[in-house]
Amino acid sequence: MADSNVRPESMERITTEQLALKFIDEQIADIKAKVGDSKVLLALSGGVDSSVVAALLIKAIGKNLVCVHVNHGLLRKGEPEMVCQVFRDELGANLIYIDAVDRFLGLLEGVTDPEKKRHIIGEEFIKVFAEEAAKLEGIRYLGQGTIYPDILESEQGIKAHHNVGGLPPELNFELVEPVKLLYKDEVRVVGKALGLPDKMVFRQPFPGPGLGVRCPGAITRDRLEAVRESDAILREEFEKAGLAGKVWQYFTVVPDFKSTGIKDGKRAFEWLCIVRAINTVDVVECTVEPIEYDLMCRITDRITHEVPGINRVLYDYTPKPTGTVEYE
Ligand code: XMP
């Protein structure tokens, strides 16, 4: 495994399955040589990078990879189930699933400040992961889904690199980062070649604090469910319309605001749901996806009829700037 953090100029861009298979073979040999019979621990979020690292490590060391999937209650509908199905059932991973929903939502109760919410989620994630690591014996390495842009941004001082929840320093593991010299598009090609499902490989970006930043203000379980259900409907309709994988990022937000409406002939004082769909190259500036009128009507109809507590749907036409992608 290349221990250097510099991508050699001679390194060919991985654009085809054939090149990906060659990369996979090389990485498996390198991982085996480095890790031997030791165990590797990996925080598996279900994102592209950690999923590809997990699949590579499973091929290289099998059950000596211990994957930990923390459900903090802020994941999208079906996500924890998909991680368990793909990795435990299909790939035979040694996967520890941690249901930490009550723990996270309890700590977030009544917290309205967005940065405080982010901080609580990040800190707690590290705590839960470290607690789990402390229970395990014989772990020497930590797998990480670091990719090349993380290294470049970290070196340029743009952002401190800390992957999925960050490495708890007191754990003192050695790192295994098999995709650290790859760009995102290459990671996807490798993921496809490893046989991971498209919905994992071409997954849209999803923030670490998850749906927590799409439930503005203090998170309540009922409003969080409204975010999760409306997001699932939006994703389903985008998939049917052939927009999944084409639009950069799309999601719903349910602010803590109610308006008067009518349901079943009765006054319904309920939340509104905002739909956001944006395109970008670098996330510094974003344009709004021009959703077709008929599609937007279908999404509105489904969300207002299928999601309890929502009586209106709005489409956000704000580019970045002046808006940011997320609402918090
Ligand atoms: P903003 O809202 O800053 O979002 O325009 C730009 C991109 O970053 C994602 N995002 C986050 N990702 N932790 C993350 O891992 C965060 O706290 C966070 N906040 C925003 C956002 O989804 C978008 O892709």
Side-chain angles (χ1 to χ4, degrees), residues 114-115 118 159 162 204-210 213-214 248-249 251 276 278 280 282-286 320 323-328:
E115 291 313 307
R118 272 195 175 78
K159 66 175 181 193
H162 51 92
Q204 52 168 318
F206 187 60
V213 290
R214 296 173 184 172
W248 174 273
Q249 207 172 357
F251 55 87
R276 186 132 173 85
I278 56 100
T280 184
D282 53 13
V283 209
V284 176
E285 294 190 346
C286 306
K320 175 180 178 177
T324 52
V325 175
E326 306 289 348
Y327 273 52
E328 288 196 322

PDB file of all heavy atoms in Angstrom, residues 114-115 118 159 162 204-210 213-214 248-249 251 276 278 280 282-286 320 323-328, ligand 1:
ATOM      1  N   PRO A 114     -27.609  25.438  15.547  1.00  0.00           N
ATOM      2  CA  PRO A 114     -27.115  24.475  14.548  1.00  0.00           C
ATOM      3  C   PRO A 114     -25.712  23.955  14.831  1.00  0.00           C
ATOM      4  O   PRO A 114     -25.439  22.760  14.691  1.00  0.00           O
ATOM      5  CB  PRO A 114     -27.118  25.275  13.240  1.00  0.00           C
ATOM      6  CG  PRO A 114     -28.041  26.404  13.466  1.00  0.00           C
ATOM      7  CD  PRO A 114     -28.040  26.694  14.933  1.00  0.00           C
ATOM      8  N   GLU A 115     -24.808  24.850  15.230  1.00  0.00           N
ATOM      9  CA  GLU A 115     -23.427  24.408  15.458  1.00  0.00           C
ATOM     10  C   GLU A 115     -23.338  23.518  16.689  1.00  0.00           C
ATOM     11  O   GLU A 115     -22.547  22.580  16.752  1.00  0.00           O
ATOM     12  CB  GLU A 115     -22.484  25.615  15.577  1.00  0.00           C
ATOM     13  CG  GLU A 115     -22.312  26.369  14.268  1.00  0.00           C
ATOM     14  CD  GLU A 115     -22.036  25.452  13.052  1.00  0.00           C
ATOM     15  OE1 GLU A 115     -21.115  24.631  13.122  1.00  0.00           O
ATOM     16  OE2 GLU A 115     -22.767  25.538  12.050  1.00  0.00           O
ATOM     17  N   ARG A 118     -24.478  20.111  15.602  1.00  0.00           N
ATOM     18  CA  ARG A 118     -23.381  19.436  14.883  1.00  0.00           C
ATOM     19  C   ARG A 118     -22.339  18.890  15.856  1.00  0.00           C
ATOM     20  O   ARG A 118     -21.858  17.777  15.722  1.00  0.00           O
ATOM     21  CB  ARG A 118     -22.668  20.441  13.975  1.00  0.00           C
ATOM     22  CG  ARG A 118     -23.270  20.562  12.625  1.00  0.00           C
ATOM     23  CD  ARG A 118     -22.300  21.267  11.691  1.00  0.00           C
ATOM     24  NE  ARG A 118     -22.846  21.271  10.356  1.00  0.00           N
ATOM     25  CZ  ARG A 118     -23.804  22.095   9.951  1.00  0.00           C
ATOM     26  NH1 ARG A 118     -24.329  22.987  10.781  1.00  0.00           N
ATOM     27  NH2 ARG A 118     -24.256  22.034   8.718  1.00  0.00           N
ATOM     28  N   LYS A 159      -9.796  22.443   5.177  1.00  0.00           N
ATOM     29  CA  LYS A 159     -10.502  21.858   6.315  1.00  0.00           C
ATOM     30  C   LYS A 159      -9.626  20.788   6.940  1.00  0.00           C
ATOM     31  O   LYS A 159      -8.845  20.128   6.256  1.00  0.00           O
ATOM     32  CB  LYS A 159     -11.849  21.264   5.880  1.00  0.00           C
ATOM     33  CG  LYS A 159     -11.754  20.075   4.949  1.00  0.00           C
ATOM     34  CD  LYS A 159     -13.125  19.478   4.675  1.00  0.00           C
ATOM     35  CE  LYS A 159     -12.980  18.286   3.751  1.00  0.00           C
ATOM     36  NZ  LYS A 159     -14.216  17.815   3.197  1.00  0.00           N
ATOM     37  N   HIS A 162     -10.972  14.948   8.926  1.00  0.00           N
ATOM     38  CA  HIS A 162     -11.356  13.889   9.863  1.00  0.00           C
ATOM     39  C   HIS A 162     -12.502  13.141   9.225  1.00  0.00           C
ATOM     40  O   HIS A 162     -13.569  13.659   8.983  1.00  0.00           O
ATOM     41  CB  HIS A 162     -11.700  14.409  11.256  1.00  0.00           C
ATOM     42  CG  HIS A 162     -12.690  15.519  11.275  1.00  0.00           C
ATOM     43  ND1 HIS A 162     -14.040  15.308  11.397  1.00  0.00           N
ATOM     44  CD2 HIS A 162     -12.533  16.839  11.164  1.00  0.00           C
ATOM     45  CE1 HIS A 162     -14.663  16.459  11.377  1.00  0.00           C
ATOM     46  NE2 HIS A 162     -13.776  17.413  11.235  1.00  0.00           N
ATOM     47  N   GLN A 204     -25.949  10.189  -3.394  1.00  0.00           N
ATOM     48  CA  GLN A 204     -25.709  11.636  -3.340  1.00  0.00           C
ATOM     49  C   GLN A 204     -24.996  11.973  -2.020  1.00  0.00           C
ATOM     50  O   GLN A 204     -25.090  11.213  -1.058  1.00  0.00           O
ATOM     51  CB  GLN A 204     -27.024  12.392  -3.464  1.00  0.00           C
ATOM     52  CG  GLN A 204     -28.084  11.934  -2.480  1.00  0.00           C
ATOM     53  CD  GLN A 204     -29.273  12.877  -2.406  1.00  0.00           C
ATOM     54  OE1 GLN A 204     -29.122  14.072  -2.393  1.00  0.00           O
ATOM     55  NE2 GLN A 204     -30.455  12.316  -2.341  1.00  0.00           N
ATOM     56  N   PRO A 205     -24.298  13.128  -1.974  1.00  0.00           N
ATOM     57  CA  PRO A 205     -23.621  13.480  -0.722  1.00  0.00           C
ATOM     58  C   PRO A 205     -24.638  13.588   0.415  1.00  0.00           C
ATOM     59  O   PRO A 205     -25.756  14.058   0.199  1.00  0.00           O
ATOM     60  CB  PRO A 205     -23.013  14.860  -1.001  1.00  0.00           C
ATOM     61  CG  PRO A 205     -23.133  15.092  -2.458  1.00  0.00           C
ATOM     62  CD  PRO A 205     -24.156  14.164  -3.005  1.00  0.00           C
ATOM     63  N   PHE A 206     -24.236  13.143   1.586  1.00  0.00           N
ATOM     64  CA  PHE A 206     -25.131  13.203   2.746  1.00  0.00           C
ATOM     65  C   PHE A 206     -24.309  13.694   3.929  1.00  0.00           C
ATOM     66  O   PHE A 206     -23.261  13.124   4.235  1.00  0.00           O
ATOM     67  CB  PHE A 206     -25.706  11.805   3.016  1.00  0.00           C
ATOM     68  CG  PHE A 206     -26.757  11.782   4.081  1.00  0.00           C
ATOM     69  CD1 PHE A 206     -27.932  12.516   3.937  1.00  0.00           C
ATOM     70  CD2 PHE A 206     -26.596  11.028   5.242  1.00  0.00           C
ATOM     71  CE1 PHE A 206     -28.919  12.494   4.915  1.00  0.00           C
ATOM     72  CE2 PHE A 206     -27.585  10.984   6.215  1.00  0.00           C
ATOM     73  CZ  PHE A 206     -28.744  11.721   6.048  1.00  0.00           C
ATOM     74  N   PRO A 207     -24.729  14.775   4.581  1.00  0.00           N
ATOM     75  CA  PRO A 207     -23.892  15.350   5.642  1.00  0.00           C
ATOM     76  C   PRO A 207     -23.783  14.440   6.870  1.00  0.00           C
ATOM     77  O   PRO A 207     -24.725  13.695   7.166  1.00  0.00           O
ATOM     78  CB  PRO A 207     -24.624  16.647   6.006  1.00  0.00           C
ATOM     79  CG  PRO A 207     -26.029  16.455   5.557  1.00  0.00           C
ATOM     80  CD  PRO A 207     -25.980  15.516   4.379  1.00  0.00           C
ATOM     81  N   GLY A 208     -22.650  14.531   7.554  1.00  0.00           N
ATOM     82  CA  GLY A 208     -22.423  13.744   8.777  1.00  0.00           C
ATOM     83  C   GLY A 208     -23.562  13.888   9.790  1.00  0.00           C
ATOM     84  O   GLY A 208     -24.031  12.882  10.334  1.00  0.00           O
ATOM     85  N   PRO A 209     -24.030  15.137  10.050  1.00  0.00           N
ATOM     86  CA  PRO A 209     -25.129  15.285  11.025  1.00  0.00           C
ATOM     87  C   PRO A 209     -26.479  14.837  10.466  1.00  0.00           C
ATOM     88  O   PRO A 209     -27.505  14.954  11.139  1.00  0.00           O
ATOM     89  CB  PRO A 209     -25.149  16.787  11.326  1.00  0.00           C
ATOM     90  CG  PRO A 209     -23.932  17.359  10.696  1.00  0.00           C
ATOM     91  CD  PRO A 209     -23.510  16.438   9.616  1.00  0.00           C
ATOM     92  N   GLY A 210     -26.466  14.336   9.248  1.00  0.00           N
ATOM     93  CA  GLY A 210     -27.640  13.697   8.665  1.00  0.00           C
ATOM     94  C   GLY A 210     -28.884  14.561   8.638  1.00  0.00           C
ATOM     95  O   GLY A 210     -28.823  15.778   8.406  1.00  0.00           O
ATOM     96  N   VAL A 213     -29.749  18.297  10.430  1.00  0.00           N
ATOM     97  CA  VAL A 213     -29.668  19.675   9.931  1.00  0.00           C
ATOM     98  C   VAL A 213     -30.837  19.993   8.989  1.00  0.00           C
ATOM     99  O   VAL A 213     -30.940  21.100   8.474  1.00  0.00           O
ATOM    100  CB  VAL A 213     -28.317  19.979   9.244  1.00  0.00           C
ATOM    101  CG1 VAL A 213     -27.194  20.029  10.269  1.00  0.00           C
ATOM    102  CG2 VAL A 213     -27.990  18.971   8.148  1.00  0.00           C
ATOM    103  N   ARG A 214     -31.702  18.978   8.767  1.00  0.00           N
ATOM    104  CA  ARG A 214     -32.874  19.205   7.901  1.00  0.00           C
ATOM    105  C   ARG A 214     -34.155  19.255   8.729  1.00  0.00           C
ATOM    106  O   ARG A 214     -35.256  19.252   8.197  1.00  0.00           O
ATOM    107  CB  ARG A 214     -32.944  18.106   6.842  1.00  0.00           C
ATOM    108  CG  ARG A 214     -31.707  18.216   5.953  1.00  0.00           C
ATOM    109  CD  ARG A 214     -31.568  17.094   4.975  1.00  0.00           C
ATOM    110  NE  ARG A 214     -30.309  17.263   4.255  1.00  0.00           N
ATOM    111  CZ  ARG A 214     -29.813  16.373   3.426  1.00  0.00           C
ATOM    112  NH1 ARG A 214     -30.481  15.252   3.196  1.00  0.00           N
ATOM    113  NH2 ARG A 214     -28.674  16.594   2.815  1.00  0.00           N
ATOM    114  N   TRP A 248     -27.183  16.625  -8.322  1.00  0.00           N
ATOM    115  CA  TRP A 248     -26.107  16.487  -7.333  1.00  0.00           C
ATOM    116  C   TRP A 248     -26.631  16.128  -5.943  1.00  0.00           C
ATOM    117  O   TRP A 248     -26.171  15.197  -5.303  1.00  0.00           O
ATOM    118  CB  TRP A 248     -25.329  17.807  -7.291  1.00  0.00           C
ATOM    119  CG  TRP A 248     -24.278  17.872  -6.228  1.00  0.00           C
ATOM    120  CD1 TRP A 248     -24.452  18.270  -4.930  1.00  0.00           C
ATOM    121  CD2 TRP A 248     -22.895  17.513  -6.346  1.00  0.00           C
ATOM    122  NE1 TRP A 248     -23.268  18.188  -4.244  1.00  0.00           N
ATOM    123  CE2 TRP A 248     -22.302  17.733  -5.089  1.00  0.00           C
ATOM    124  CE3 TRP A 248     -22.116  17.042  -7.405  1.00  0.00           C
ATOM    125  CZ2 TRP A 248     -20.960  17.497  -4.862  1.00  0.00           C
ATOM    126  CZ3 TRP A 248     -20.763  16.808  -7.170  1.00  0.00           C
ATOM    127  CH2 TRP A 248     -20.202  17.028  -5.916  1.00  0.00           C
ATOM    128  N   GLN A 249     -27.635  16.910  -5.480  1.00  0.00           N
ATOM    129  CA  GLN A 249     -28.137  16.681  -4.127  1.00  0.00           C
ATOM    130  C   GLN A 249     -29.582  17.137  -4.043  1.00  0.00           C
ATOM    131  O   GLN A 249     -29.936  18.202  -4.559  1.00  0.00           O
ATOM    132  CB  GLN A 249     -27.282  17.468  -3.122  1.00  0.00           C
ATOM    133  CG  GLN A 249     -27.248  16.868  -1.738  1.00  0.00           C
ATOM    134  CD  GLN A 249     -26.243  17.550  -0.816  1.00  0.00           C
ATOM    135  OE1 GLN A 249     -25.510  18.457  -1.218  1.00  0.00           O
ATOM    136  NE2 GLN A 249     -26.206  17.131   0.425  1.00  0.00           N
ATOM    137  N   PHE A 251     -33.192  16.917  -1.357  1.00  0.00           N
ATOM    138  CA  PHE A 251     -33.663  16.494  -0.037  1.00  0.00           C
ATOM    139  C   PHE A 251     -34.818  17.381   0.408  1.00  0.00           C
ATOM    140  O   PHE A 251     -35.177  18.341  -0.291  1.00  0.00           O
ATOM    141  CB  PHE A 251     -32.512  16.574   0.979  1.00  0.00           C
ATOM    142  CG  PHE A 251     -31.845  17.916   1.073  1.00  0.00           C
ATOM    143  CD1 PHE A 251     -32.323  18.915   1.908  1.00  0.00           C
ATOM    144  CD2 PHE A 251     -30.721  18.199   0.293  1.00  0.00           C
ATOM    145  CE1 PHE A 251     -31.700  20.156   1.993  1.00  0.00           C
ATOM    146  CE2 PHE A 251     -30.099  19.439   0.359  1.00  0.00           C
ATOM    147  CZ  PHE A 251     -30.588  20.417   1.215  1.00  0.00           C
ATOM    148  N   ARG A 276     -35.573  20.776  -1.807  1.00  0.00           N
ATOM    149  CA  ARG A 276     -34.379  21.440  -2.339  1.00  0.00           C
ATOM    150  C   ARG A 276     -33.662  20.467  -3.276  1.00  0.00           C
ATOM    151  O   ARG A 276     -33.487  19.282  -2.927  1.00  0.00           O
ATOM    152  CB  ARG A 276     -33.453  21.840  -1.191  1.00  0.00           C
ATOM    153  CG  ARG A 276     -32.237  22.663  -1.603  1.00  0.00           C
ATOM    154  CD  ARG A 276     -32.103  23.852  -0.697  1.00  0.00           C
ATOM    155  NE  ARG A 276     -30.894  24.651  -0.870  1.00  0.00           N
ATOM    156  CZ  ARG A 276     -30.789  25.630  -1.776  1.00  0.00           C
ATOM    157  NH1 ARG A 276     -31.760  25.876  -2.625  1.00  0.00           N
ATOM    158  NH2 ARG A 276     -29.687  26.358  -1.826  1.00  0.00           N
ATOM    159  N   ILE A 278     -30.275  20.683  -5.953  1.00  0.00           N
ATOM    160  CA  ILE A 278     -29.246  21.581  -6.492  1.00  0.00           C
ATOM    161  C   ILE A 278     -28.202  20.821  -7.318  1.00  0.00           C
ATOM    162  O   ILE A 278     -28.006  19.622  -7.149  1.00  0.00           O
ATOM    163  CB  ILE A 278     -28.539  22.376  -5.361  1.00  0.00           C
ATOM    164  CG1 ILE A 278     -27.927  21.438  -4.314  1.00  0.00           C
ATOM    165  CG2 ILE A 278     -29.483  23.355  -4.689  1.00  0.00           C
ATOM    166  CD1 ILE A 278     -26.485  21.211  -4.443  1.00  0.00           C
ATOM    167  N   THR A 280     -24.057  21.302  -8.791  1.00  0.00           N
ATOM    168  CA  THR A 280     -22.825  22.044  -8.541  1.00  0.00           C
ATOM    169  C   THR A 280     -21.629  21.248  -9.048  1.00  0.00           C
ATOM    170  O   THR A 280     -21.732  20.055  -9.328  1.00  0.00           O
ATOM    171  CB  THR A 280     -22.662  22.305  -7.029  1.00  0.00           C
ATOM    172  OG1 THR A 280     -21.500  23.122  -6.813  1.00  0.00           O
ATOM    173  CG2 THR A 280     -22.503  21.017  -6.233  1.00  0.00           C
ATOM    174  N   ASP A 282     -18.392  22.198  -7.411  1.00  0.00           N
ATOM    175  CA  ASP A 282     -17.489  22.218  -6.257  1.00  0.00           C
ATOM    176  C   ASP A 282     -18.193  22.540  -4.931  1.00  0.00           C
ATOM    177  O   ASP A 282     -17.534  22.702  -3.908  1.00  0.00           O
ATOM    178  CB  ASP A 282     -16.393  23.261  -6.503  1.00  0.00           C
ATOM    179  CG  ASP A 282     -16.994  24.621  -6.869  1.00  0.00           C
ATOM    180  OD1 ASP A 282     -18.213  24.800  -6.696  1.00  0.00           O
ATOM    181  OD2 ASP A 282     -16.242  25.497  -7.338  1.00  0.00           O
ATOM    182  N   VAL A 283     -19.501  22.663  -4.946  1.00  0.00           N
ATOM    183  CA  VAL A 283     -20.332  22.987  -3.774  1.00  0.00           C
ATOM    184  C   VAL A 283     -20.086  24.402  -3.232  1.00  0.00           C
ATOM    185  O   VAL A 283     -20.672  24.804  -2.231  1.00  0.00           O
ATOM    186  CB  VAL A 283     -20.250  21.936  -2.638  1.00  0.00           C
ATOM    187  CG1 VAL A 283     -21.546  21.890  -1.840  1.00  0.00           C
ATOM    188  CG2 VAL A 283     -19.976  20.551  -3.150  1.00  0.00           C
ATOM    189  N   VAL A 284     -19.182  25.154  -3.897  1.00  0.00           N
ATOM    190  CA  VAL A 284     -18.968  26.542  -3.474  1.00  0.00           C
ATOM    191  C   VAL A 284     -20.110  27.396  -4.028  1.00  0.00           C
ATOM    192  O   VAL A 284     -20.654  28.263  -3.348  1.00  0.00           O
ATOM    193  CB  VAL A 284     -17.604  27.065  -3.981  1.00  0.00           C
ATOM    194  CG1 VAL A 284     -17.419  28.533  -3.636  1.00  0.00           C
ATOM    195  CG2 VAL A 284     -16.482  26.227  -3.386  1.00  0.00           C
ATOM    196  N   GLU A 285     -20.463  27.102  -5.280  1.00  0.00           N
ATOM    197  CA  GLU A 285     -21.621  27.752  -5.892  1.00  0.00           C
ATOM    198  C   GLU A 285     -22.546  26.652  -6.412  1.00  0.00           C
ATOM    199  O   GLU A 285     -22.070  25.641  -6.926  1.00  0.00           O
ATOM    200  CB  GLU A 285     -21.191  28.651  -7.046  1.00  0.00           C
ATOM    201  CG  GLU A 285     -20.359  29.818  -6.572  1.00  0.00           C
ATOM    202  CD  GLU A 285     -20.120  30.847  -7.666  1.00  0.00           C
ATOM    203  OE1 GLU A 285     -20.361  30.530  -8.846  1.00  0.00           O
ATOM    204  OE2 GLU A 285     -19.681  31.951  -7.327  1.00  0.00           O
ATOM    205  N   CYS A 286     -23.843  26.868  -6.259  1.00  0.00           N
ATOM    206  CA  CYS A 286     -24.799  25.845  -6.707  1.00  0.00           C
ATOM    207  C   CYS A 286     -25.939  26.495  -7.478  1.00  0.00           C
ATOM    208  O   CYS A 286     -26.343  27.621  -7.184  1.00  0.00           O
ATOM    209  CB  CYS A 286     -25.420  25.121  -5.508  1.00  0.00           C
ATOM    210  SG  CYS A 286     -24.224  24.426  -4.382  1.00  0.00           S
ATOM    211  N   LYS A 320     -26.890  28.949  -4.451  1.00  0.00           N
ATOM    212  CA  LYS A 320     -25.844  29.249  -3.468  1.00  0.00           C
ATOM    213  C   LYS A 320     -24.770  30.039  -4.180  1.00  0.00           C
ATOM    214  O   LYS A 320     -24.220  29.506  -5.154  1.00  0.00           O
ATOM    215  CB  LYS A 320     -25.271  27.956  -2.902  1.00  0.00           C
ATOM    216  CG  LYS A 320     -24.091  28.185  -1.943  1.00  0.00           C
ATOM    217  CD  LYS A 320     -23.542  26.876  -1.403  1.00  0.00           C
ATOM    218  CE  LYS A 320     -22.338  27.144  -0.500  1.00  0.00           C
ATOM    219  NZ  LYS A 320     -21.807  25.929   0.113  1.00  0.00           N
ATOM    220  N   GLY A 323     -28.264  31.337  -0.718  1.00  0.00           N
ATOM    221  CA  GLY A 323     -28.530  30.260   0.227  1.00  0.00           C
ATOM    222  C   GLY A 323     -27.305  29.372   0.349  1.00  0.00           C
ATOM    223  O   GLY A 323     -26.405  29.413  -0.497  1.00  0.00           O
ATOM    224  N   THR A 324     -27.240  28.594   1.410  1.00  0.00           N
ATOM    225  CA  THR A 324     -26.290  27.488   1.423  1.00  0.00           C
ATOM    226  C   THR A 324     -27.099  26.264   0.997  1.00  0.00           C
ATOM    227  O   THR A 324     -28.305  26.361   0.801  1.00  0.00           O
ATOM    228  CB  THR A 324     -25.686  27.269   2.832  1.00  0.00           C
ATOM    229  OG1 THR A 324     -26.748  27.163   3.768  1.00  0.00           O
ATOM    230  CG2 THR A 324     -24.744  28.402   3.202  1.00  0.00           C
ATOM    231  N   VAL A 325     -26.437  25.127   0.851  1.00  0.00           N
ATOM    232  CA  VAL A 325     -27.172  23.919   0.449  1.00  0.00           C
ATOM    233  C   VAL A 325     -28.124  23.537   1.583  1.00  0.00           C
ATOM    234  O   VAL A 325     -29.337  23.416   1.391  1.00  0.00           O
ATOM    235  CB  VAL A 325     -26.208  22.747   0.139  1.00  0.00           C
ATOM    236  CG1 VAL A 325     -26.993  21.484  -0.159  1.00  0.00           C
ATOM    237  CG2 VAL A 325     -25.301  23.104  -1.026  1.00  0.00           C
ATOM    238  N   GLU A 326     -27.583  23.342   2.761  1.00  0.00           N
ATOM    239  CA  GLU A 326     -28.386  22.942   3.919  1.00  0.00           C
ATOM    240  C   GLU A 326     -28.986  24.181   4.588  1.00  0.00           C
ATOM    241  O   GLU A 326     -28.541  25.307   4.333  1.00  0.00           O
ATOM    242  CB  GLU A 326     -27.514  22.183   4.935  1.00  0.00           C
ATOM    243  CG  GLU A 326     -26.756  20.988   4.362  1.00  0.00           C
ATOM    244  CD  GLU A 326     -27.642  19.800   4.009  1.00  0.00           C
ATOM    245  OE1 GLU A 326     -28.829  19.803   4.415  1.00  0.00           O
ATOM    246  OE2 GLU A 326     -27.153  18.884   3.324  1.00  0.00           O
ATOM    247  N   TYR A 327     -29.976  23.947   5.435  1.00  0.00           N
ATOM    248  CA  TYR A 327     -30.645  25.063   6.106  1.00  0.00           C
ATOM    249  C   TYR A 327     -30.005  25.402   7.442  1.00  0.00           C
ATOM    250  O   TYR A 327     -30.352  26.407   8.064  1.00  0.00           O
ATOM    251  CB  TYR A 327     -32.139  24.728   6.296  1.00  0.00           C
ATOM    252  CG  TYR A 327     -32.960  25.117   5.093  1.00  0.00           C
ATOM    253  CD1 TYR A 327     -32.597  24.685   3.818  1.00  0.00           C
ATOM    254  CD2 TYR A 327     -34.065  25.940   5.219  1.00  0.00           C
ATOM    255  CE1 TYR A 327     -33.331  25.041   2.709  1.00  0.00           C
ATOM    256  CE2 TYR A 327     -34.811  26.304   4.112  1.00  0.00           C
ATOM    257  CZ  TYR A 327     -34.445  25.852   2.862  1.00  0.00           C
ATOM    258  OH  TYR A 327     -35.172  26.221   1.758  1.00  0.00           O
ATOM    259  N   GLU A 328     -29.113  24.548   7.915  1.00  0.00           N
ATOM    260  CA  GLU A 328     -28.418  24.855   9.173  1.00  0.00           C
ATOM    261  C   GLU A 328     -26.951  24.604   8.977  1.00  0.00           C
ATOM    262  O   GLU A 328     -26.568  23.752   8.160  1.00  0.00           O
ATOM    263  CB  GLU A 328     -28.925  23.921  10.296  1.00  0.00           C
ATOM    264  CG  GLU A 328     -30.324  24.242  10.767  1.00  0.00           C
ATOM    265  CD  GLU A 328     -30.617  23.575  12.120  1.00  0.00           C
ATOM    266  OE1 GLU A 328     -30.180  22.445  12.334  1.00  0.00           O
ATOM    267  OE2 GLU A 328     -31.295  24.205  12.922  1.00  0.00           O
TER     268      GLU A 328
HETATM  269  P1  XMP B   1     -23.585  23.991   2.655  1.00  0.00           P
HETATM  270  O1  XMP B   1     -24.865  23.922   3.458  1.00  0.00           O
HETATM  271  O2  XMP B   1     -22.404  24.385   3.495  1.00  0.00           O
HETATM  272  O3  XMP B   1     -23.289  22.504   2.177  1.00  0.00           O
HETATM  273  O4  XMP B   1     -23.720  24.842   1.426  1.00  0.00           O
HETATM  274  C1  XMP B   1     -22.260  22.162   1.279  1.00  0.00           C
HETATM  275  C2  XMP B   1     -22.150  20.649   1.242  1.00  0.00           C
HETATM  276  O5  XMP B   1     -21.669  20.167   2.502  1.00  0.00           O
HETATM  277  C3  XMP B   1     -22.626  19.312   3.108  1.00  0.00           C
HETATM  278  N1  XMP B   1     -22.642  19.631   4.541  1.00  0.00           N
HETATM  279  C4  XMP B   1     -22.057  18.873   5.489  1.00  0.00           C
HETATM  280  N2  XMP B   1     -21.385  17.711   5.405  1.00  0.00           N
HETATM  281  N3  XMP B   1     -21.083  17.732   7.750  1.00  0.00           N
HETATM  282  C5  XMP B   1     -20.932  17.135   6.549  1.00  0.00           C
HETATM  283  O6  XMP B   1     -20.337  16.040   6.495  1.00  0.00           O
HETATM  284  C6  XMP B   1     -21.750  18.901   7.920  1.00  0.00           C
HETATM  285  O7  XMP B   1     -21.891  19.405   9.025  1.00  0.00           O
HETATM  286  C7  XMP B   1     -22.256  19.505   6.718  1.00  0.00           C
HETATM  287  N4  XMP B   1     -22.953  20.654   6.473  1.00  0.00           N
HETATM  288  C8  XMP B   1     -23.158  20.708   5.129  1.00  0.00           C
HETATM  289  C9  XMP B   1     -23.940  19.601   2.409  1.00  0.00           C
HETATM  290  O8  XMP B   1     -24.829  18.489   2.464  1.00  0.00           O
HETATM  291  C10 XMP B   1     -23.478  19.938   1.022  1.00  0.00           C
HETATM  292  O9  XMP B   1     -23.227  18.771   0.257  1.00  0.00           O
END
